[in-house]
Amino acid sequence: PEGREERDRRRRRVHPRLCVAMKGAGEQARQTAERLKTKGNECFHKNKIGAAIDLYTEAFTLCPHWPVPLVNRALCHKKNEDWNKVIEDCEKVIQLDTDNLKAHFFLGLAQTNTNRPHLAVQNLSTALKLARNTESTIKEEVWRTLARAKFESHSRTAAERAVRRGELLQRLKSLLKEDVSRRIKDSDSSLPDILEQQEELERDTSLLEDVFKSDELKYQGEDVPNWCTCQLTLEVFHEPVVTPCGISYENQVLLEHLRKVGEFDPVTRRPMKAKDVRKNIGLRNAVESYLDDNPWAWYYAM
């Protein structure tokens, strides 16, 4: 028993020193990693992408719980359009930091560029939410990438549905014809009865085609309604704001107008300042709801 107590006392004496040493080693590793990351940034700005990747890799190896070098390395892979490596790095970053804006954005972009738009939509939607919460400068880029992913996902679904719809329509038409032929064959129908059966077949076939046509129209359109677009750009709203006059504009376009043209409402020309602008969340939600209900329209938001 005395030997055990002595060992416990010895451990208690050693542990504080060990903790300090470990803490010092961790801080030194982080400082070294910071320097490597800074050198990597310098290489990236000089377009020395390979050297930057090596430096970011070394920095992350020293601090495997620090996601910044990994995000920067993903940016390098993005510049090289090495999308599979972008995906690999961003998935690791999200494991370390679930709210990392750039990781979700780069991952969604990579998934879009590797023909996986249905997966991209989820990550880009998260990225857009994070960008809006932080007022990030890449908010518009995220929005347009999300619009592209949603449109490509819709296009794939629409193409597959068109094939199935065409095959189903032909089968149903054949069944209608077989039914009429069977009824005529099974009964001693007179010529007027036969003609009436043929007319009924034509009416049923026409109705069937109309039903299928209405389904087809759900997956295509020509243009979005005016209320979805900014009067200044004629583009789909993604960050609408409203002025004291009650007119909505795209945020960045209105702020640029106030800064470069003059402090007045572009339509009514009434005096106003940037501080008078308010986010139009209701309109933004309505536009996004319209786009989701009519996914072909995401094309105009790209």
Side-chain angles (χ1 to χ4, degrees):
E2 291 181 359
R4 185 184 306 167
E5 291 176 359
E6 179 64 26
R7 284 196 301 273
D8 290 341
R9 283 196 296 271
R10 195 160 54 245
R11 288 194 191 99
R12 285 193 292 271
R13 288 196 300 270
V14 172
H15 282 177
R17 294 198 300 270
L18 181 60
C19 289
V20 170
M22 291 175 65
K23 183 178 179 181
E27 290 176 351
Q28 185 177 3
R30 178 59 179 265
Q31 291 172 0
T32 303
E34 289 271 10
R35 289 194 294 270
L36 290 168
K37 186 207 73 165
T38 301
K39 290 181 180 178
N41 294 347
E42 293 171 356
C43 288
F44 180 84
H45 291 304
K46 293 177 182 177
N47 207 32
K48 297 178 180 178
I49 305 302
I53 289 174
D54 291 341
L55 288 163
Y56 293 141
T57 301
E58 191 174 349
F60 182 69
T61 302
L62 283 172
C63 292
H65 298 293
W66 186 37
V68 174
L70 211 53
V71 173
N72 290 1
R73 190 172 74 179
L75 178 61
C76 292
H77 294 317
K78 171 178 173 286
K79 190 174 182 64
N80 286 338
E81 297 187 357
D82 192 343
W83 301 116
N84 288 327
K85 288 186 178 179
V86 172
I87 291 172
E88 182 180 344
D89 279 354
C90 289
E91 287 178 342
K92 289 179 182 177
V93 171
I94 292 171
Q95 289 178 355
L96 296 171
D97 179 10
T98 56
D99 291 332
N100 192 291
L101 165 59
K102 289 184 178 179
H104 282 288
F105 173 46
F106 293 161
L107 178 56
L109 178 63
Q111 289 169 331
T112 303
N113 283 297
T114 51
N115 298 316
R116 287 176 276 185
H118 55 293
L119 294 177
V121 167
Q122 181 177 352
N123 284 297
L124 291 169
S125 297
T126 301
L128 182 60
K129 182 179 178 180
L130 293 169
R132 283 172 170 167
N133 289 342
T134 59
E135 292 297 329
S136 171
T137 56
I138 66 171
K139 183 166 51 176
E140 181 175 352
E141 188 178 1
V142 174
W143 161 266
R144 295 192 183 279
T145 307
L146 174 60
R148 175 190 163 195
K150 287 196 172 187
F151 177 72
E152 290 184 2
S153 180
H154 157 73
S155 297
R156 179 175 297 183
T157 301
E160 294 172 353
R161 189 178 181 88
V163 172
R164 294 198 304 270
R165 185 170 54 241
E167 293 173 348
L168 179 58
L169 178 59
Q170 291 305 315
R171 286 205 303 271
L172 292 175
K173 282 183 176 181
S174 297
L175 289 172
L176 285 174
K177 288 179 181 179
E178 290 173 7
D179 180 59
V180 170
S181 298
R182 184 173 58 253
R183 279 186 285 161
I184 292 174
K185 184 179 179 180
D186 292 345
S187 63
D188 296 329
S189 300
S190 62
L191 180 59
D193 290 337
I194 293 174
L195 292 176
E196 184 179 348
Q197 295 276 5
Q198 291 293 340
E199 290 175 358
E200 183 181 351
L201 173 61
E202 290 176 3
R203 289 195 300 270
D204 289 346
T205 301
S206 178
L207 176 59
L208 187 63
E209 289 175 345
D210 289 344
V211 170
F212 275 72
K213 186 65 178 179
S214 65
D215 179 78
E216 180 183 350
L217 293 176
K218 293 179 183 178
Y219 287 81
Q220 61 185 6
E222 294 182 357
D223 205 353
V224 295
N226 290 335
W227 63 266
C228 288
T229 61
C230 173
Q231 296 185 52
L232 300 181
T233 65
L234 301 182
E235 293 184 352
V236 174
F237 281 121
H238 59 90
E239 294 297 332
V241 292
V242 62
T243 68
C245 297
I247 301 176
S248 292
Y249 304 95
E250 185 59 40
N251 183 41
Q252 289 302 319
V253 176
L254 178 60
L255 293 179
E256 186 176 0
H257 165 85
L258 296 175
R259 189 169 54 251
K260 295 183 178 180
V261 181
E263 293 185 323
F264 56 87
D265 187 295
V267 173
T268 66
R269 304 189 72 81
R270 292 181 183 176
M272 61 165 291
K273 297 181 181 294
K275 66 181 179 63
D276 300 322
V277 172
R278 297 290 182 269
K279 291 182 179 180
N280 195 336
I281 303 298
L283 178 57
R284 188 182 77 186
N285 292 340
V287 169
E288 291 182 2
S289 178
Y290 175 84
L291 294 173
D292 285 336
D293 291 340
N294 302 273
W296 53 267
W298 280 107
Y299 172 82
Y300 297 97
M302 292 166 53

